[in-house]
Amino acid sequence: MTLQLPDASGALRTYEPRTEPLALTAGAPFTSRTVYSAAHVVADPFADVSPDSPAAVDWDATLAFRRHLWSHGLGVAEAMDTAQRGMGLDWAGAAELIRRSAAEAKAVGGRVACGVGTDQLTAGGTLAEVRAAYEEQLALVEACGARSILMASRALAAAATGPEDYLDVYGHLLRQASEPVILHWLGPMFDPALDGYWGSSDLDAATDTFLEVIAAHPDKVEGIKVSLLDAGREIDIRRRLPQGVRCYTGDDFNYPELIAGDEQGFSHALLGIFDPLGPLAAEAVRVLDTGNVTGFRSLLDPTVELSRHLFQTPTRFYKTGVVFLAWLAGHQSHFTMVGGLQSARSLPHFARAYELADGLGLFPDPKLAEERMKNLLSLYGVNQ
């Protein structure tokens, strides 16, 4: 069986799908790295909603996907950017997601860390309101027994007048936190509203402020997540961290080399691309646990082309490709997203994502993925 797939020029090319998936099964817990997958949410396809409506979530399918990740030894980074936080999932939906996911993690023994932000403030706010919004979300996550990830705040980016406002807000929150948190620096390629975060569009100056926050409260920072798609900058930040503070790579372009590390250290991982790559990523980390860096890279390096494709500009729409692959892989019965975001990428983009993922053996049932891809092509008027 072959498929006719459209390329970026609109021409059709012939592709022969893979017939056998990779043989990937659950294994022992990781020993050398802590690895989180930022997980997507599954929309309720039968809800009578519009893109402006509150998110309608299929909770059973959403939690089933988290159990899939936990079964392979991955942690779940919950209510983050990959879950369409601020792009279809509002604070009410995120709060429910956090409560349900944290409870499910306790039930199955899974690792979970949850995003703490300020998205109650849909129209901006003062610095005092930003602090209060962060506090409300921090209290919820801590009450659920999960680790907190202090996410970058659009409201703080809009209200802050300089680095001192970031130092003040984050210092206040870290003093309040009952347990060490993960600090998240999300770059403007993921969210344009975060341009100039940490008080400057000069990344060197912003890095200094970021590190100043950590240096002032090293006992309250378990780790940092850097999502700037700049391997050199992440390595520089990693080498400047206080002893005991982990660096979690959020670089979906350069993750194999950053996780492998060098003679001066390595990054752990908290990645959106590990949503579709979960079982394969887990297998690679277990190989790395044995000290086999070459084997780790041989498994993970070939996935970078797919990741760079999904995260291509405009990067913030990578969530569409992630959910698309979850549908093809059989983790959900439909290709619908909260906020209608399934429309955010083109048919040629989907076709290339299918081809790359199939080539990697990511689909547990290649025939199911092929049939679903044929259905999508037919919907767009491409007859096989």
Side-chain angles (χ1 to χ4, degrees), residues 157-158 166 186-189 191-203:
Y166 290 89
L186 189 69
M189 67 289 295
D191 187 343
L194 299 176
D195 188 34
Y197 212 73
W198 303 110
S200 178
S201 294
D202 180 324
L203 287 180

Side-chain angles (χ1 to χ4, degrees), residues 255-271:
Y255 50 94
E257 65 186 84
L258 291 165
I259 297 170
D262 55 31
E263 66 283 354
Q264 296 186 52
F266 57 82
S267 294
H268 300 269
L270 199 166
L271 289 159

Side-chain angles (χ1 to χ4, degrees), residues 86 89-92 118-125 133 154-155:
L89 188 69
D90 61 12
W91 166 234
T118 63
D119 39 338
Q120 311 96 309
L121 304 176
T122 56
R154 293 174 181 171

Side-chain angles (χ1 to χ4, degrees), residues 16-340:
E16 184 174 348
R18 183 174 178 139
T19 57
E20 296 293 333
L22 287 178
L24 299 170
T25 58
F30 309 140
T31 58
S32 65
R33 304 290 189 274
T34 299
V35 181
Y36 290 96
S37 165
H40 74 281
V41 294
V42 182
D44 178 355
F46 303 121
D48 185 12
V49 295
S50 72
D52 294 330
S53 303
V57 177
D58 180 338
W59 294 112
D60 289 341
T62 294
L63 293 175
F65 186 75
R66 279 136 183 82
R67 291 193 296 273
H68 155 72
L69 295 172
W70 285 321
S71 74
H72 287 275
L74 297 158
V76 169
E78 191 55 275
M80 302 288 290
D81 186 58
T82 307
Q84 293 180 245
R85 190 80 179 264
M87 290 183 68
L89 188 69
D90 61 12
W91 166 234
E96 184 66 13
L97 178 62
I98 288 167
R99 283 189 285 264
R100 289 175 180 258
S101 191
E104 195 72 13
K106 288 179 184 178
V108 303
R111 182 194 297 266
V112 67
C114 301
V116 170
T118 63
D119 39 338
Q120 311 96 309
L121 304 176
T122 56
T126 65
L127 288 174
E129 290 170 332
V130 168
R131 283 194 299 270
Y134 264 131
E135 288 170 348
E136 177 188 355
Q137 297 199 15
L138 179 63
L140 173 68
V141 172
E142 291 187 339
C144 291
R147 185 174 295 283
S148 298
I149 304 171
L150 292 187
M151 300 192 302
S153 162
R154 293 174 181 171
L156 179 55
T161 59
E164 63 283 350
D165 288 334
Y166 290 89
L167 294 170
D168 177 68
V169 170
Y170 277 93
H172 175 82
L173 293 169
L174 290 173
R175 286 189 295 271
Q176 276 198 289
S178 61
E179 298 289 341
V181 308
I182 297 172
L183 291 183
H184 185 193
W185 184 357
L186 189 69
M189 67 289 295
F190 289 94
D191 187 343
L194 299 176
D195 188 34
Y197 212 73
W198 303 110
S200 178
S201 294
D202 180 324
L203 287 180
D204 290 335
T207 296
D208 288 342
T209 302
F210 182 52
L211 290 169
E212 187 176 346
V213 169
I214 299 163
H217 307 276
D219 59 321
K220 288 296 187 75
V221 181
E222 186 271 339
I224 63 167
K225 176 183 178 331
V226 183
S227 301
L228 298 175
L229 304 184
D230 182 337
R233 183 163 298 278
E234 178 174 322
I235 292 169
D236 174 66
I237 293 173
R238 187 173 76 197
R239 292 175 178 173
R240 295 166 64 186
L241 290 174
Q243 185 70 26
V245 176
R246 292 176 171 179
C247 179
Y248 291 92
T249 186
D251 188 332
D252 300 277
F253 282 7
N254 304 292
Y255 50 94
E257 65 186 84
L258 291 165
I259 297 170
D262 55 31
E263 66 283 354
Q264 296 186 52
F266 57 82
S267 294
H268 300 269
L270 199 166
L271 289 159
I273 191 56
F274 280 6
D275 179 304
L277 293 184
L280 178 55
E283 180 70 16
V285 174
R286 289 192 182 93
V287 171
L288 184 60
D289 286 345
T290 69
N292 185 355
V293 177
T294 300
F296 166 79
R297 294 294 297 268
S298 69
L299 283 170
L300 216 52
D301 281 0
T303 69
V304 172
E305 185 178 5
L306 171 63
S307 188
R308 291 189 174 218
H309 176 72
L310 296 183
F311 284 78
Q312 68 183 217
T313 305
T315 303
R316 64 188 181 277
F317 294 129
Y318 76 88
K319 282 81 93 174
T320 300
V322 164
V323 175
F324 170 66
L325 294 182
W327 172 57
L328 293 184
H331 293 299
Q332 55 194 78
S333 62
H334 58 87
F335 179 34
T336 307
M337 298 177 68
V338 298

